Amino acid sequence: MDAQGRGRVEDIDPADQWVLNPETGEYELRLAPSAPQSRVPGQRGATGTGRASRRRGAPASASASASTSAPAPEREVPPPRRRRTAPEEPPPGRRGRRRPAKKSKGKKILLWTGGTMALVVLAAGTAGYLYLQHLNDNIESLPDDGAGTGGFQKDQAINILLIGTDKRTGSGNEGYGDNGSAGHADTTILLHVSKDRSNATALSIPRDLIVDIPDCPTTQEDGSTKVIPGSTGVRFNQSLGQSGRTPSCTMRTVTELTGVRPDNFMVADFNAVKTLTSAVGGVEVCLAKDINDPDSHLNLPAGKHTIEGEDALAFVRTRHSVGFGGDLSRIEIQQQFLSSLMRKLKSNDTLTSPSKMVKLAEAGTKALTVDSTLDDIGKLKDLGLELGKLNTKNLSFVTVPVRDNPAEKVKATVVLQEEPARQVFDMIKEDVSFTEVKKKESEKEKKEKAAVVARLEGEKSDPSEVRVRVLNGGAPDGSAQRELLYLQNEAGVTKSENAGDADAEVARTTLEYAPDQADQARALAEILGLSGAAMKPGESVTNAQGLPTMTLTLGKDFKGAGVKLDAASAEAPEEARKSTADKVECAK
């Protein structure tokens, strides 16, 4: 993707024509009354190429019709206003100067950017609307080939796959290593935003992680579909570019790896970093030591620096001069960079500058390739509004827990640390925050919370009186039998039985019981380390002897027979490197 080759900015800077209206808090287009009204800055005329012509598989006729638009008529200069005693219909040429009604906001778009830098939409969501319909033409799209969910939903958690490629195309990128790269998944982040929008997690997936890439049905240039065969035990970055794989294949690989199915994807190449940082006037970064890395072209002394353009690209590409010199060290420096970029976007210096906002909008849309379900200005506006609700102090940067590949003598790749990685993936699937989020609770919520805590309070039966059946609802095979043996032989819960597999898998272990079994439930909860939230008042079942029995369903969080399922199971494991967007950290 050549980000420099899409669209062009007109000679007149459109930012000079936007003025902040203190009554509405929005930017409005203001032109001199003596001059004829012009089109929206950068709007394409009848000869322009529309977005539809760039969609893979779109017919040429459709492209032509989609890209043709009638030129905006010139508006007459209105005569001097006269005093009127009664309301009149405004003369031609004056309608566009009235404050727009609330419903006109549908014609505007929320400023946003994407790709590897797509995290900035979180900050840009608070920036307001700009009347820049021509941004639609800047955006390129590719099919998701059914790999996504069909697009994010306003009332659900959001999962966006952000991909930064190592594609070197574009002006100024000739000197960066492999010019012939097909554009692999060099930097990949799964951005999860909680259902209530109170927190988000940016999960970095190492490019050198050994994974299985599934078969990928992929739309071709002529509109046909070709199934690209999968690969076993290869680097994650081969899920894009290799063998003609597109971002939809990276989506499938992420789903295979994490169990989380992305809603949408956004892709950017090298130019995204350069253009976005220049648009905001540079990003502040911090180095704990001098760095001179000829591979990435980064040459900076220790301390704080404001970088943009080529220096910014060099910063996010460096790895040999930081940490242990590998890809994991580069992930940490990229996370620091993204945190700093978001803080810059949240600052008044950016949000109150029409010039920076317009430049950021131009840079962001030109740097992006999105999936076809997101290739709509209204959808992008809605996404920005949803992401803009997030407080960035509750945005956690997390790296998939990995270890060196034991099959290699010369360490070049990594493999999953199975248990902590599964815990991280489950937290995302279950919409669990990696940060402590303080929310104002209603009286109803307070009462419900108190009721959950109260489930653990009260008398407890003797373990010998506890009657329970054990189901496997997602734990490893044989877990129900092993837990049963522990309960009978070591915990004294002799009235227990193995009831086989549950009807469906569950993420968390639960205990269902009838009201008159509460004392038994409290006793078993103490033995197993269950929280009040894991106790589900409901109904008992009848066992083979016709006696009422509680039901213990072992979920995917089950750690082994006799291992307590305490609150720590809902916290990020130590192996997951974690930071938050509000903290300044110096690269070492």
Side-chain angles (χ1 to χ4, degrees):
M1 180 182 69
D2 188 343
Q4 296 292 333
R6 292 180 290 171
R8 64 184 183 86
V9 182
E10 295 189 3
D11 296 335
I12 299 176
D13 187 353
D16 295 336
Q17 301 173 346
W18 291 88
V19 179
L20 180 65
N21 185 329
E23 295 182 3
T24 64
E26 299 174 355
Y27 290 102
E28 299 178 355
L29 185 64
R30 300 288 178 84
L31 300 178
S34 60
Q37 294 283 357
S38 65
R39 293 177 295 165
V40 175
Q43 184 176 348
R44 300 176 187 270
T47 60
T49 301
R51 174 188 59 193
S53 66
R54 294 196 298 274
R55 289 177 179 160
R56 181 169 289 183
S61 59
S63 300
S65 61
S67 62
T68 305
S69 59
E74 294 188 357
R75 302 192 181 191
E76 299 179 4
V77 178
R81 298 187 64 174
R82 295 176 297 176
R83 183 181 300 275
R84 294 193 294 266
T85 57
E88 297 181 10
E89 183 69 19
R94 300 294 294 182
R95 294 180 184 274
R97 299 180 65 84
R98 295 186 298 178
R99 183 190 301 178
K102 290 285 186 182
K103 62 182 179 181
S104 70
K105 290 186 178 180
K107 298 180 180 179
K108 301 178 181 180
I109 65 166
L110 190 68
L111 183 64
W112 61 280
T113 54
T116 306
M117 302 300 102
L119 291 171
V120 301
V121 296
L122 300 173
T126 63
Y129 297 101
L130 292 178
Y131 192 74
L132 296 171
Q133 293 286 9
H134 73 289
L135 293 180
N136 220 12
D137 292 330
N138 288 345
I139 306 168
E140 289 198 11
S141 67
L142 289 171
D144 74 350
D145 298 314
T149 63
F152 75 94
Q153 301 295 322
K154 293 182 180 181
D155 58 347
Q156 299 295 325
I158 297 175
N159 294 294
I160 307 293
L161 187 63
L162 315 174
I163 307 170
T165 76
D166 60 358
K167 200 169 185 178
R168 268 73 168 172
T169 55
S171 177
N173 293 327
E174 298 83 4
Y176 291 103
D178 181 12
N179 268 335
S181 173
H184 297 103
D186 199 49
T187 299
T188 305
I189 295 175
L190 178 61
L191 174 63
H192 170 83
V193 183
S194 66
K195 182 177 180 179
D196 64 4
R197 309 298 185 249
S198 67
N199 65 90
T201 302
L203 179 67
S204 292
I205 303 174
R207 69 174 190 176
D208 295 328
L209 174 63
I210 296 299
V211 298
D212 293 337
I213 299 175
D215 293 344
C216 296
T218 306
T219 302
Q220 305 299 297
E221 292 286 351
D222 61 1
S224 64
T225 299
K226 174 183 176 181
V227 177
I228 300 176
S231 302
T232 302
V234 296
R235 279 181 168 90
F236 175 85
N237 69 344
Q238 294 184 23
S239 65
L240 177 64
Q242 195 85 4
S243 304
R245 295 181 177 115
T246 66
S248 67
C249 194
T250 307
M251 291 181 90
R252 295 185 193 278
T253 306
V254 168
T255 302
E256 186 90 358
L257 173 68
T258 66
V260 179
R261 189 179 182 186
D263 300 308
N264 302 97
F265 68 71
M266 295 181 178
V267 185
D269 63 13
F270 275 13
N271 286 304
V273 179
K274 295 191 287 187
T275 56
L276 289 173
T277 52
S278 296
V280 297
V283 173
E284 185 179 76
V285 297
C286 182
L287 297 175
K289 62 181 180 180
D290 298 345
I291 290 183
N292 186 1
D293 184 357
D295 292 327
S296 69
H297 304 173
L298 180 66
N299 187 358
L300 289 174
K304 293 183 178 180
H305 306 273
T306 298
I307 58 175
E308 62 178 278
E310 296 291 344
D311 286 339
L313 179 59
F315 184 84
V316 299
R317 291 186 67 241
T318 191
R319 59 172 175 160
H320 299 301
S321 301
V322 293
F324 295 103
D327 189 48
L328 296 180
S329 298
R330 187 176 63 169
I331 285 176
E332 291 183 1
I333 206 170
Q334 288 173 347
Q335 291 175 345
Q336 180 209 144
F337 174 84
L338 289 171
S339 297
S340 182
L341 178 58
M342 291 193 61
R343 291 193 297 272
K344 181 63 176 287
L345 285 161
K346 281 287 191 180
S347 69
N348 289 333
D349 180 54
T350 299
L351 298 181
T352 60
S353 170
S355 177
K356 286 184 180 180
M357 296 295 275
V358 171
K359 289 178 181 177
L360 186 60
E362 290 286 351
T365 52
K366 287 178 181 178
L368 282 179
T369 298
V370 300
D371 69 89
S372 52
T373 67
L374 200 55
D375 188 15
D376 176 82
I377 210 67
K379 267 288 186 184
L380 293 172
K381 178 204 71 174
D382 291 341
L383 176 60
L385 286 171
E386 293 303 307
L387 301 180
K389 298 173 183 178
L390 176 70
N391 187 327
T392 53
K393 73 178 182 180
N394 292 322
L395 168 60
S396 300
F397 288 94
V398 180
T399 304
V400 173
V402 295
R403 59 190 176 92
D404 288 334
N405 189 345
E408 296 174 336
K409 291 183 179 180
V410 178
K411 304 305 180 185
T413 62
V414 293
V415 296
L416 284 182
Q417 293 190 57
E418 293 290 345
E419 179 58 28
R422 182 199 57 75
Q423 192 172 338
V424 168
F425 301 153
D426 284 349
M427 288 180 69
I428 293 176
K429 284 189 288 186
E430 294 301 308
D431 204 19
V432 178
S433 176
F434 282 73
T435 60
E436 183 180 355
V437 181
K438 295 182 179 179
K439 295 181 290 184
K440 187 176 181 180
E441 296 179 335
S442 65
E443 288 301 319
K444 180 180 178 182
E445 289 173 329
K446 289 179 181 178
K447 289 180 180 178
E448 291 175 347
K449 196 172 189 179
V452 168
V453 174
R455 292 172 191 168
L456 296 172
E457 299 174 353
E459 294 184 0
K460 301 179 182 66
S461 298
D462 187 272
S464 63
E465 298 301 319
V466 173
R467 186 178 289 107
V468 62
R469 63 175 190 152
V470 183
L471 295 174
N472 190 334
D477 291 344
S479 294
Q481 182 61 28
R482 287 190 291 272
E483 184 71 348
L484 177 67
L485 293 175
Y486 163 76
L487 290 174
Q488 292 181 340
N489 298 329
E490 299 184 42
V493 184
T494 54
K495 297 178 180 177
S496 51
E497 60 187 73
N498 183 352
D501 292 334
D503 293 335
E505 291 189 352
V506 294
R508 303 290 175 193
T509 298
T510 59
L511 175 63
E512 185 174 3
Y513 58 97
D516 60 354
Q517 295 172 317
D519 52 349
Q520 294 183 44
R522 286 190 286 267
L524 190 58
E526 183 177 52
I527 293 170
L528 301 178
L530 295 177
S531 66
M535 300 172 66
K536 305 295 181 184
E539 298 179 354
S540 63
V541 296
T542 303
N543 64 9
Q545 291 76 38
L547 300 173
T549 305
M550 299 186 296
T551 300
L552 174 67
T553 304
L554 304 180
K556 294 179 180 179
D557 61 340
F558 180 72
K559 297 181 179 181
V563 181
K564 290 199 172 186
L565 293 163
D566 51 25
S569 62
E571 297 177 357
E574 291 291 332
E575 295 85 351
R577 308 180 186 197
K578 184 172 74 72
S579 62
T580 52
D582 61 328
K583 295 180 180 178
V584 180
E585 297 184 6
C586 295
K588 300 178 181 180

